[in-house]
Amino acid sequence: MVSKTDDIPASVPDCNPADVADGAGDGAQDGKETRLKDSCGCGHNADKAMVNGDGAHEHTGEAELKQHGNGEADAEEESNEQEVIVIQDTGFTVKIQAPGTEPFDLQVSPQEMVQEIHQVLMDREDTCHRTCFSLQLDGNVLDNFAELKSIEGLQEGSLLKVVEEPYTVREARIHVRHIRDLLKSLDPSDAYNGVDCNSLSFLSIFTDGDLGDSGKRKKKGNDLEQIDCTPPEHILPGSKERPLVPLQPQNKDWKPMQCLKVLTMSGWNPPPGNRKMHGDLMYLYIVTVEERHVSVTASTRGFYLNQSTTYSFNPKPANPSFLSHSLVELLSQISPAFKKNFTALQKKRVQRHPFERIATPFQVYSWTAPQVDHAMDCVRAEDAYTSRLGYEEHIPGQTRDWNEELQTTRELPRKNLPERLLRERAIFKVHSDFAAAATRGAMAVIDGNVMAINPGEETRMQMFIWNNIFFSLGFDVRDHYRELGGDAAAHAAPTNDLNGVRAYGAVDVEGLYTLGTVVVDYRGYRVTAQSIIPGILEREQEQSVIYGSIDFGKTVVSHSKYLELLEKTSRPLKVQRHNVLNEKNETVELCSSVECKGIIGNDGRHYILDLLRTFPPDLNFLPVDGEELPPESQRQGFPRQHRHRLACLRQELIEAFVEHRYLLFMKMAALQLMQQKANKDSNKTETPAITATSETSTESTADTIQTQTTTSDSTETETCTDCTAQTDSSTSAASQTATDSEENSSEPATNGPLDSAATQNGACKSPLEDPKSREVVLNACKAVGSISNTSFDIRFNPDIFSPGVRFPDNSVDEVQKQKQLLKDAAAFLVSCQIPSLIKDCLDHSALPMDGATLTEALHQRGINVRYLGTILEFVEKTPAKAQLEHIYRIGVSELITRCAKHIFKTYLQGVELSALSAAVSHFLNCFLSSFPDAVAHLPPDELVSRRKSRKRRNRVPGGGDNTAWASLTPSELWKNIASEAQSYYHYNIQCESVDQVVEKYSFQKTTLLREISIKTGIQILIKEYNFDSRHKPAFTEEDILNIFPVVKHVNPKASDAFHFFQSGQAKVQQGFLKEGCELINEALNLFNNVYGAMHVEICACLRLLARLNYIMGDHPEALSNQQKAALMSERVLGIEHPNTIQEYMHLALYCFANGQLSTALKLLYRARYLMLLVCGEDHPEMALLDSNIGLVLHGVMEYDLSLRFLENALNINTKYHGPRSLKVALSHHLVARVYESKAEFRSALQHEKEGYTIYKNQMGEAHEKTKESSDYLKYLTQQAVALQRTMNEIYKNGSNASIMPLKFTAPSMASVLEQLNIINGIIFIPLSQKDLENLKAEVHRRQQLQELGKSEEPTEESQLQLEDKIPID
């Protein structure tokens, strides 16, 4: 459905593309336009807010998406979902009167546009069928794009009338689309097909609808008897089945209530001239559920029945014609079933959680789907055939000028917070639209539906333009990359280039422009989609490049404006300015790699492109004659030959390396200074006692400097994707050892202080007039390879070791230094980063569960995936290999599926479209099925093209007429995988078949299937596959439903929001929960403002907020936030993504705390099922999950079941944490408690003794844990003795024994919850009622102070000090 905002090209400066409501989905997908008033004096920028924490405004409540605000606001949830009021602006209520309904109240805010009231009305249950109307106040029509505050006479209580307007063809189409969207609103097929940013979510099945209400509706969980706790067989510990079908439970709401059989465009369209003059706009053909076939005219006055039939045209109105302004009103009159079902459908639609239906910013694809019936759908058919270009998103009749939109949004002002929010929102919106358009275009190109701009050339060399986007294929055309590795280099270059675009985009220098870039892998081809520089297609490339080189450094040119712009990126990106020689042996100065080209477009903007060498080369994979690598690298067998010569270090590695060097620099300078000072002192007094003092003061000097630098330019760095992954803020300064701080600093290192003065004054406590101090800094600079002699500054020259680049003679020393720096960086990766990754895995601060999370863990530490083999070898040599088994298994499976992906890529390129499903199923059979001679099903003869003899030159890229793919056998494929592993990852897999691999590494075939499907974009039918049959193959071609693109693009960031988020996290870690909570709320606000309602970062924000709510005792609020986080994680990351599993676990804990026991169990069982599917039972995280399940089952008195889970948790903990760990002691205690409840005291004693021994050895006799355990032992012994006495009594006296009643206690909910909190790492500070009152009073006093504007800090900070840092996942 397209809103009224249609006809605005997105480049109109005043109207941001962000305001234009989007084509797809139900209504307001774009966050509302929130222009913040400058009156709030947003002078305090983010930095101040970060430092003080109180600098931010207090408005927490507003951010809470106003869901169930007023009685009937249910229906307007959707658009208010996005409502974010950043500066409190008093909203007001208006009355709305629509034809045929009672007037109702609507809460609006002054910055809203009239447009947004339209969206609300189109989504409300009772007005959703209207699209073509205007709003009138006292008879005056309101302008759609006016802000409410600018409308005269609009105030609290004004009555707005909804007035039906005459239709145009465009409005009629919009109306039909909107009705179709309403009819399809519960239908999941769009999510399965991966269109229109729909994606799946199953949370509501497990929570029976919305959690917030269900707690109030059902009786609180005291009626334990009614809970059925037995999980399905396959979820129990030790089960070997891994069924696929439960991955997508059937939602009863999805059996759609049929409202109509057919609604389609009639074959009589378009109306002939004489009918046009009667106001006919178009004709529809409809079949009702009662099998009545009718033909409908859409006219300017509305919709009515005409007398046409399928074969005779009679446009006269039927009798009665049922003329209605809305199609819904017309259909309700002619079909009772429609009336009944449509009403029911809309009721259901508005009851769903808004997060289940809002579109995601980027498309998420599902790798499994059920067989969905293909129903007639006029809009889908129309979209497929009318080149969807003409209807491209919003602007009829013209395609979007992507380049202009992308660059215009970058140029928006960004001086204060409101401006920055507006700018970031516009950038994000255009980026997500561009990514969607580029993906669609790339698929059209590979499917052969786009004409090449050079159709005469061979397929591989063709280039395409579609919808103002330029597409090229990832092949080495014109031998451009011959020196660098041919096709392999051409395949790697686009992703390197994308990383460059991402890096320059993050630095965001005014006046320097990059191209919109998206890399799409589809059907074995890699397509690069780029926005087009104005005028570049009219000129030859040689004329337009005024900076850089088009032939890898043979001819080089430079340009002063480019040098000036690139100089600004040089510090954050650590790129060194350097000179190279051109073909005439003249010196040319550059500030980037030579291939980086500068072109001034016809729009006068300075563009840079080909950023594939933004980061320096990785010498471990770039053997250079005559160059020796440091011994650390050589010991690991580097340098190794790689497929291509474009292997670069990651930006994260550069950051970590510079931080590492910075700490070294600080230490050296401080140490030398100490020695000087000591020498002076010892001259005065003869006591050289400096050991103790030198230590402490070194730390303090280092501290001061570290803090100066980190605050000064932390803004320039790009932050890691999962913002919660590393939370220690980077002020963990030099006092720690260098390696420690690399792991802890979440802000990648800053590149030294911005001005050398900071260092000088920090390090020396005196200006550098003192020659000795100057010498100290000089020595330290030399030692760490700084490019400056007076301050710490490390930068890399990206052209070192580029073939064809020559350097002038006078820079020999500098080049030598740079070579050394690159060798050091390569060695640093092998000797520091890989061991630190393994250490993090050992102490479980990194817990990858599948290939994607493992890759993310590598990338966060700057390790490229090509080091996977090295990492696995490292794990094999680690003494604690048993505790890394999960990492090893995930690593090998990732390595094997990546090798299979490489082979699959070339395999698919030779397959023609008609044989695609057969080829994919054949490949999967060879890869996963135990059936030894998988035979491919060739398409039947009549489908194979007859023209094999004549070689056609310009086939579509995917049109290979060959059937070579059919001859692949399982043994051949596994041989290829093993050789690929050897040649690419330098890792040895000795396995000839899938069964050997499964046996040797204890894999699960479903896990391998999931990994390969996600990596290659395959979608398979969801059913149980028999992989192990030796008689028939596991897959048939009917099982392959689709093949999706795998898309890489830039993710624009919400910088202000992110700063709030980080400072909120820091506050929480210091124990200021309230302030932390306020900052996180503020961050949520700003995130919503930039990204709309759905985003990974909002998900992290909600999760943390829920955790804080929970710790601060607000359980219902925690539940509501965590429910949103879980829903969002399903929608944005995928239903079985490891993050989603975590969200389910947190949600279960909060449900339990809210007394919703059966829901908590369902959620935990779901999480366990997903985890089994994703990584199997043998994983440290499974121990936590099983402890949770066991505890909840203990609470509902299912003791035998509870023991199965708790004992499994005990085994896993013992394996991964070592038998003496405190986690194991706790596991023993939990098991003992269940045995006690079963009155099996002997077993209980045995387990508790184990736990006691661990506590005693680890913590000592005096520790409270040891004492608690010893008390519990005494209690158990007494119980056991009492039981024994009773038994003896019975034996002695038979039936007439006088029996003492024994106390068997069912555990109280409170005690279970306490244990749940402990295992989930949540520590409460016991506060008495009085403390709570004092705390409330204190908070209240502060708020009053702030309202009065007094900035005086309260004298004593009432600080809630946590005993332990709150672990934030």
Side-chain angles (χ1 to χ4, degrees):
M1 149 229 87
V2 178
S3 64
K4 288 291 203 42
T5 55
D6 256 56
D7 311 280
I8 313 171
S11 48
V12 178
D14 309 327
C15 155
N16 249 306
D19 315 335
V20 179
D22 205 348
D26 330 345
Q29 289 175 349
D30 296 297
K32 301 214 162 174
E33 173 69 281
T34 17
R35 295 230 173 75
L36 297 115
K37 298 264 206 5
D38 283 338
S39 58
C40 84
C42 269
H44 44 252
N45 53 9
D47 295 323
K48 173 168 167 213
M50 273 171 77
V51 186
N52 301 341
D54 304 333
H57 305 299
E58 316 277 307
H59 23 257
T60 43
E62 299 298 320
E64 214 9 75
L65 310 172
K66 305 191 304 194
Q67 252 152 248
H68 308 285
N70 37 5
E72 20 173 302
D74 241 299
E76 34 144 336
E77 269 173 23
E78 164 74 69
S79 77
N80 277 356
E81 195 44 55
Q82 318 247 346
E83 169 72 59
V84 179
I85 303 177
V86 185
I87 301 310
Q88 283 183 334
D89 215 331
T90 44
F92 56 95
T93 313
V94 292
K95 272 201 169 348
I96 298 210
Q97 163 84 65
T101 58
E102 293 294 305
F104 58 87
D105 289 337
L106 181 65
Q107 184 79 31
V108 292
S109 102
Q111 305 105 318
E112 282 183 37
M113 292 198 292
V114 177
Q115 165 63 36
E116 294 168 50
I117 300 184
H118 272 257
Q119 294 295 354
V120 173
L121 293 178
M122 280 163 69
D123 198 63
R124 266 184 75 94
E125 197 182 336
D126 48 1
T127 55
C128 62
H129 55 278
R130 305 186 179 282
T131 57
C132 184
F133 58 85
S134 61
L135 289 168
Q136 301 189 0
L137 175 66
D138 308 329
N140 301 325
V141 177
L142 305 186
D143 165 23
N144 252 343
F145 295 113
E147 290 194 353
L148 298 186
K149 56 176 177 242
S150 64
I151 295 170
E152 268 180 60
L154 184 62
Q155 65 214 23
E156 178 71 39
S158 297
L159 179 69
L160 291 179
K161 281 209 165 102
V162 174
V163 179
E164 299 175 341
E165 293 289 329
Y167 283 97
T168 59
V169 173
R170 194 172 154 276
E171 283 293 348
R173 276 180 180 230
I174 286 171
H175 186 75
V176 173
R177 273 183 116 83
H178 180 62
I179 300 306
R180 171 261 195 177
D181 283 341
L182 292 176
L183 292 176
K184 274 190 63 174
S185 56
L186 294 181
D187 177 15
S189 55
D190 279 355
Y192 290 128
N193 296 330
V195 289
D196 289 344
C197 287
N198 285 324
S199 58
L200 297 167
S201 159
F202 293 105
L203 182 65
S204 55
I205 296 182
F206 299 99
T207 57
D208 300 324
D210 193 8
L211 280 171
D213 319 337
S214 59
K216 302 184 191 84
R217 274 205 308 272
K218 299 179 190 152
K219 284 214 217 71
K220 279 282 169 35
N222 300 340
D223 1 344
L224 299 180
E225 298 70 62
Q226 299 158 9
I227 302 177
D228 177 25
C229 306
T230 13
E233 211 34 54
H234 60 261
I235 293 178
L236 289 170
S239 160
K240 287 280 168 275
E241 276 182 89
R242 298 284 179 265
L244 258 189
V245 172
L247 179 60
Q248 298 192 359
Q250 282 309 299
N251 189 336
K252 46 187 183 307
D253 285 355
W254 288 353
K255 287 281 161 278
M257 294 165 285
Q258 207 184 15
C259 298
L260 286 177
K261 285 206 168 154
V262 180
L263 161 62
T264 132
M265 295 293 165
S266 154
W268 298 116
N269 281 320
N274 63 329
R275 290 307 304 169
K276 258 193 192 151
M277 301 173 79
H278 283 85
D280 291 9
L281 303 172
M282 61 181 183
Y283 304 118
L284 304 172
Y285 172 65
I286 294 173
V287 181
T288 67
V289 184
E290 295 90 350
E291 277 298 324
R292 179 172 173 194
H293 296 240
V294 293
S295 186
V296 173
T297 302
S299 76
T300 47
R301 294 176 306 140
F303 296 81
Y304 61 83
L305 301 187
N306 61 36
Q307 297 176 29
S308 301
T309 62
T310 320
Y311 302 114
S312 70
F313 178 60
N314 181 356
K316 296 267 186 301
N319 187 15
S321 71
F322 296 114
L323 172 65
S324 320
H325 193 264
S326 143
L327 192 55
V328 173
E329 290 168 356
L330 170 72
L331 292 169
S332 300
Q333 291 178 67
I334 62 170
S335 159
F338 176 87
K339 185 173 184 176
K340 177 167 148 253
N341 290 349
F342 185 78
T343 321
L345 185 73
Q346 293 323 307
K347 269 213 170 36
K348 267 199 179 146
R349 179 178 67 89
V350 295
Q351 275 163 10
R352 287 176 73 194
H353 195 286
F355 283 6
E356 293 182 65
R357 46 202 187 115
I358 294 174
T360 57
F362 300 103
Q363 185 64 56
V364 178
Y365 298 103
S366 163
W367 64 279
T368 51
Q371 197 73 57
V372 180
D373 299 331
H374 194 61
M376 264 195 181
D377 181 339
C378 61
V379 177
R380 188 186 58 218
E382 182 194 23
D383 284 348
Y385 286 113
T386 55
S387 131
R388 186 145 173 207
L389 263 179
Y391 203 89
E392 185 53 50
E393 322 309 342
H394 329 291
I395 306 140
Q398 78 180 71
T399 54
R400 285 171 76 167
D401 182 344
W402 291 109
N403 190 65
E404 186 57 31
E405 286 190 39
L406 287 160
Q407 314 311 348
T408 313
T409 51
R410 284 244 170 238
E411 287 163 351
L412 292 169
R414 46 171 151 178
K415 288 193 270 311
N416 51 26
L417 181 68
E419 287 184 348
R420 280 197 301 275
L421 287 176
L422 219 74
R423 173 174 184 267
E424 284 173 351
R425 159 141 90 295
I427 290 174
F428 182 73
K429 183 71 189 91
V430 174
H431 263 282
S432 66
D433 286 357
F434 177 70
T439 308
R440 222 168 57 212
M443 291 168 72
V445 163
I446 297 302
D447 290 338
N449 303 335
V450 179
M451 179 81 174
I453 51 179
N454 49 346
E457 310 219 16
E458 187 199 342
T459 337
R460 300 162 50 103
M461 303 179 65
Q462 291 180 348
M463 291 170 285
F464 305 83
I465 288 181
W466 178 91
N467 186 2
N468 281 329
I469 306 175
F470 173 77
F471 297 92
S472 52
L473 300 173
F475 294 116
D476 182 16
V477 292
R478 307 194 176 76
D479 288 338
H480 190 61
Y481 292 106
R482 193 171 57 200
E483 302 285 292
L484 297 167
D487 277 350
H491 190 263
T495 46
N496 276 5
D497 181 38
L498 182 66
N499 289 337
V501 170
R502 183 178 293 126
Y504 277 102
V507 176
D508 212 1
V509 168
E510 236 168 291
L512 186 65
Y513 297 91
T514 53
L515 300 182
T517 308
V518 175
V519 179
V520 180
D521 290 299
Y522 178 61
R523 284 181 50 195
Y525 294 89
R526 172 157 282 181
V527 186
T528 311
Q530 291 170 308
S531 63
I532 301 170
I533 299 179
I536 189 163
L537 296 168
E538 291 93 79
R539 311 177 270 194
E540 273 299 309
Q541 201 179 15
E542 287 80 25
Q543 307 158 4
S544 36
V545 173
I546 58 163
Y547 171 88
S549 159
I550 55 168
D551 47 19
F552 289 101
K554 295 184 188 61
T555 51
V556 193
V557 286
S558 189
H559 187 276
S560 56
K561 178 68 178 159
Y562 271 103
L563 280 175
E564 176 199 325
L565 288 169
L566 286 166
E567 176 61 43
K568 294 178 187 165
T569 65
S570 145
R571 175 184 291 283
L573 295 182
K574 327 275 185 273
V575 176
Q576 189 190 4
R577 263 179 103 139
H578 57 277
N579 294 328
V580 299
L581 296 174
N582 65 10
E583 75 289 3
K584 307 194 188 79
N585 284 332
E586 300 157 348
T587 304
V588 179
E589 188 176 21
L590 296 176
C591 192
S592 65
S593 64
V594 283
E595 325 50 28
C596 167
K597 306 173 188 33
I599 297 182
I600 298 185
N602 286 356
D603 52 2
R605 295 188 178 108
H606 292 78
Y607 291 93
I608 48 170
L609 52 154
D610 287 348
L611 307 174
L612 51 139
R613 285 231 176 131
T614 304
F615 299 109
D618 179 356
L619 296 193
N620 289 331
F621 283 93
L622 191 71
V624 181
D625 296 338
E627 294 288 347
E628 283 274 300
L629 282 184
E632 299 96 326
S633 290
Q634 290 190 12
R635 278 200 295 275
Q636 301 281 346
F638 293 112
R640 293 182 170 162
Q641 203 58 51
H642 197 52
R643 297 266 151 100
H644 54 78
R645 301 179 64 85
L646 291 179
C648 291
L649 297 172
R650 292 186 64 87
Q651 186 174 15
E652 296 93 332
L653 183 89
I654 302 295
E655 305 280 8
F657 176 69
V658 172
E659 170 115 336
H660 173 71
R661 282 290 162 108
Y662 180 58
L663 293 170
L664 281 180
F665 170 79
M666 292 311 312
K667 278 190 175 149
M668 296 186 63
L671 262 161
Q672 289 181 344
L673 285 168
M674 303 293 29
Q675 283 162 356
Q676 285 184 8
K677 188 158 168 262
N679 295 344
K680 273 187 206 159
D681 290 356
S682 61
N683 296 345
K684 289 179 205 154
T685 62
E686 302 301 306
T687 50
I690 51 166
T691 44
T693 49
S694 72
E695 274 304 290
T696 51
S697 44
T698 319
E699 291 177 10
S700 59
T701 4
D703 267 344
T704 48
I705 298 168
Q706 180 78 355
T707 27
Q708 284 173 3
T709 52
T710 42
T711 47
S712 62
D713 55 37
S714 56
T715 44
E716 305 171 346
T717 50
E718 202 193 12
T719 32
C720 60
T721 42
D722 181 357
C723 19
T724 50
Q726 303 156 305
T727 42
D728 289 348
S729 89
S730 57
T731 40
S732 59
S735 51
Q736 296 173 315
T737 56
T739 48
D740 261 19
S741 68
E742 287 146 26
E743 292 151 22
N744 289 343
S745 60
S746 67
E747 291 170 4
T750 56
N751 200 356
L754 284 173
D755 53 343
S756 50
T759 317
Q760 297 154 7
N761 303 341
C764 314
K765 306 280 195 322
S766 67
L768 275 201
E769 270 65 86
D770 173 4
K772 282 193 176 156
S773 313
R774 201 175 314 157
E775 179 195 12
V776 167
V777 174
L778 177 66
N779 291 342
C781 284
K782 276 209 179 113
V784 296
S786 165
I787 56 170
S788 140
N789 286 334
T790 53
S791 70
F792 174 83
D793 196 351
I794 288 188
R795 306 188 193 187
F796 292 86
N797 174 346
D799 284 331
I800 304 277
F801 298 124
S802 291
V805 176
R806 298 172 306 140
F807 297 101
D809 298 339
N810 59 5
S811 56
V812 175
D813 283 354
E814 202 177 281
V815 169
Q816 214 33 56
K817 251 185 172 172
Q818 281 290 336
K819 286 186 176 175
Q820 192 49 48
L821 204 54
L822 283 178
K823 290 175 188 173
D824 292 348
F828 170 74
L829 197 158
V830 179
S831 63
C832 282
Q833 294 303 82
I834 292 182
S836 95
L837 169 75
I838 301 301
K839 179 179 162 298
D840 285 355
C841 291
L842 265 175
D843 63 22
H844 302 287
S845 51
L847 256 186
M849 262 190 229
D850 66 346
T853 41
L854 177 69
T855 309
E856 198 176 293
L858 261 66
H859 286 171
Q860 272 170 11
R861 290 161 183 79
I863 307 168
N864 311 69
V865 176
R866 58 174 170 269
Y867 285 94
L868 200 48
T870 314
I871 292 172
L872 290 171
E873 280 165 15
F874 195 96
V875 172
E876 282 166 15
K877 293 190 194 112
T878 309
K881 182 180 178 222
Q883 294 186 22
L884 288 169
E885 209 172 289
H886 61 299
I887 300 294
Y888 185 65
R889 188 182 319 107
I890 294 169
V892 176
S893 113
E894 179 70 355
L895 189 141
I896 288 177
T897 41
R898 278 176 182 264
C899 294
K901 179 184 80 173
H902 297 169
I903 296 162
F904 185 62
K905 188 182 80 200
T906 38
Y907 170 87
L908 269 192
Q909 287 176 9
V911 178
E912 64 173 307
L913 198 48
S914 62
L916 204 52
S917 57
V920 173
S921 62
H922 178 61
F923 184 89
L924 287 179
N925 281 328
C926 293
F927 183 47
L928 292 174
S929 178
S930 305
F931 182 56
D933 29 68
V935 183
H937 299 278
L938 287 173
D941 278 348
E942 70 272 15
L943 289 179
V944 175
S945 126
R946 284 265 163 265
R947 288 175 295 189
K948 278 198 183 142
S949 47
R950 288 198 313 243
K951 190 123 172 58
R952 316 205 305 286
R953 255 178 81 205
N954 39 357
R955 300 195 307 257
V956 299
D961 272 344
N962 66 28
T963 49
W965 58 267
S967 58
L968 183 73
T969 64
S971 58
E972 183 194 347
L973 174 62
W974 279 96
K975 273 200 199 77
N976 292 348
I977 288 178
S979 69
E980 176 76 8
Q982 191 54 56
S983 68
Y984 194 91
Y985 294 106
H986 304 274
Y987 187 74
N988 193 357
I989 302 175
Q990 308 111 336
C991 290
E992 272 118 60
S993 72
V994 67
D995 294 323
Q996 282 181 16
V997 170
V998 167
E999 187 60 34
K1000 180 172 172 184
Y1001 300 106
S1002 55
F1003 284 163
Q1004 310 179 136
K1005 288 188 177 178
T1006 33
T1007 304
L1008 288 173
L1009 175 64
R1010 172 179 179 264
E1011 293 285 354
I1012 188 81
S1013 303
I1014 289 172
K1015 286 183 180 51
T1016 52
I1018 300 171
Q1019 186 185 52
I1020 59 164
L1021 181 63
I1022 189 162
K1023 68 172 203 191
E1024 302 314 341
Y1025 291 97
N1026 181 2
F1027 296 108
D1028 301 327
S1029 159
R1030 307 198 63 78
H1031 307 296
K1032 64 178 209 302
F1035 298 91
T1036 67
E1037 48 190 298
E1038 298 308 313
D1039 297 330
I1040 310 298
L1041 297 183
N1042 210 334
I1043 188 157
F1044 290 125
V1046 176
V1047 186
K1048 300 182 177 70
H1049 54 79
V1050 177
N1051 265 319
K1053 287 270 176 275
S1055 54
D1056 287 297
F1058 195 71
H1059 285 309
F1060 272 97
F1061 185 65
Q1062 279 189 317
S1063 37
Q1065 277 184 324
K1067 277 277 179 221
V1068 169
Q1069 296 234 320
Q1070 295 156 12
F1072 297 106
L1073 298 190
K1074 187 88 174 73
E1075 290 89 332
C1077 205
E1078 277 159 12
L1079 284 167
I1080 304 269
N1081 255 316
E1082 190 60 50
L1084 180 64
N1085 235 333
L1086 302 180
F1087 276 136
N1088 272 317
N1089 210 355
V1090 174
Y1091 297 139
M1094 281 272 160
H1095 197 273
V1096 196
E1097 284 171 23
I1098 299 182
C1099 193
C1101 210
L1102 285 165
R1103 176 200 314 165
L1104 181 55
L1105 209 48
R1107 188 146 194 162
L1108 288 174
N1109 293 139
Y1110 182 67
I1111 290 174
M1112 290 158 71
D1114 188 349
H1115 294 177
E1117 192 59 21
L1119 198 56
S1120 148
N1121 280 327
Q1122 186 57 39
Q1123 182 188 11
K1124 288 179 200 161
L1127 268 174
M1128 199 176 296
S1129 182
E1130 286 192 307
R1131 294 283 322 277
V1132 187
L1133 291 168
I1135 52 172
E1136 83 291 349
H1137 189 280
N1139 270 45
T1140 308
I1141 300 176
Q1142 300 271 336
E1143 306 297 6
Y1144 266 80
M1145 283 165 67
H1146 294 317
L1147 186 58
L1149 171 65
Y1150 306 154
C1151 276
F1152 187 88
N1154 256 334
Q1156 304 180 14
L1157 307 192
S1158 59
T1159 307
L1161 261 180
K1162 278 192 212 157
L1163 292 167
L1164 287 169
Y1165 286 155
R1166 170 70 172 173
R1168 191 171 208 275
Y1169 165 74
L1170 293 175
M1171 203 147 142
L1172 287 172
L1173 187 74
V1174 168
C1175 63
E1177 195 160 53
D1178 186 16
H1179 190 282
E1181 194 68 356
M1182 192 55 97
L1184 174 62
L1185 185 49
D1186 281 354
S1187 304
N1188 274 304
I1189 296 178
L1191 272 168
V1192 176
L1193 286 169
H1194 186 193
V1196 296
M1197 303 192 293
E1198 289 276 349
Y1199 302 133
D1200 294 332
L1201 257 183
S1202 170
L1203 274 177
R1204 288 184 71 169
F1205 286 101
L1206 288 175
E1207 285 177 332
N1208 192 47
L1210 175 61
N1211 295 337
I1212 296 177
N1213 273 334
T1214 311
K1215 172 174 178 180
Y1216 284 109
H1217 294 274
R1220 311 254 57 85
S1221 115
L1222 296 175
K1223 274 211 159 65
V1224 176
L1226 183 58
S1227 269
H1228 276 300
H1229 175 63
L1230 297 179
V1231 173
R1233 286 180 39 151
V1234 183
Y1235 275 124
E1236 180 213 341
S1237 298
K1238 288 181 68 174
E1240 294 181 20
F1241 295 113
R1242 186 168 293 162
S1243 308
L1245 276 165
Q1246 202 181 334
H1247 278 289
E1248 191 55 43
K1249 270 182 195 142
E1250 293 276 339
Y1252 173 70
T1253 320
I1254 296 176
Y1255 284 132
K1256 196 171 78 180
N1257 296 343
Q1258 301 283 342
M1259 324 273 259
E1261 293 276 358
H1263 194 275
E1264 56 172 326
K1265 280 282 177 209
T1266 321
K1267 286 186 185 146
E1268 271 176 28
S1269 180
S1270 130
D1271 294 346
Y1272 186 54
L1273 274 173
K1274 283 185 196 133
Y1275 166 73
L1276 285 175
T1277 318
Q1278 284 166 4
Q1279 291 293 89
V1281 172
L1283 179 68
Q1284 199 53 50
R1285 264 202 211 113
T1286 313
M1287 300 309 278
N1288 294 347
E1289 177 80 12
I1290 293 175
Y1291 289 136
K1292 212 163 67 196
N1293 299 344
S1295 57
N1296 56 359
S1298 57
I1299 301 176
M1300 289 272 296
L1302 275 176
K1303 299 201 296 290
F1304 286 136
T1305 48
S1308 73
M1309 284 306 146
S1311 71
V1312 173
L1313 186 57
E1314 182 189 356
Q1315 296 294 335
L1316 277 171
N1317 288 330
I1318 293 173
I1319 61 171
N1320 288 297
I1322 292 175
I1323 293 171
F1324 286 99
I1325 312 97
L1327 288 177
S1328 66
Q1329 202 47 45
K1330 200 169 103 212
D1331 293 340
L1332 277 174
E1333 295 306 321
N1334 293 347
L1335 191 70
K1336 279 188 185 141
E1338 171 65 18
V1339 170
H1340 188 64
R1341 188 171 71 92
R1342 277 203 202 176
Q1343 282 172 342
Q1344 280 180 329
L1345 279 177
Q1346 269 172 342
E1347 281 157 22
L1348 296 170
K1350 291 190 195 142
S1351 56
E1352 58 195 66
E1353 277 295 298
T1355 43
E1356 25 83 83
E1357 287 275 301
S1358 73
Q1359 179 171 351
L1360 277 176
Q1361 200 57 55
L1362 289 189
E1363 306 160 28
D1364 191 295
K1365 284 188 177 171
I1366 296 168
I1368 296 164
D1369 335 309

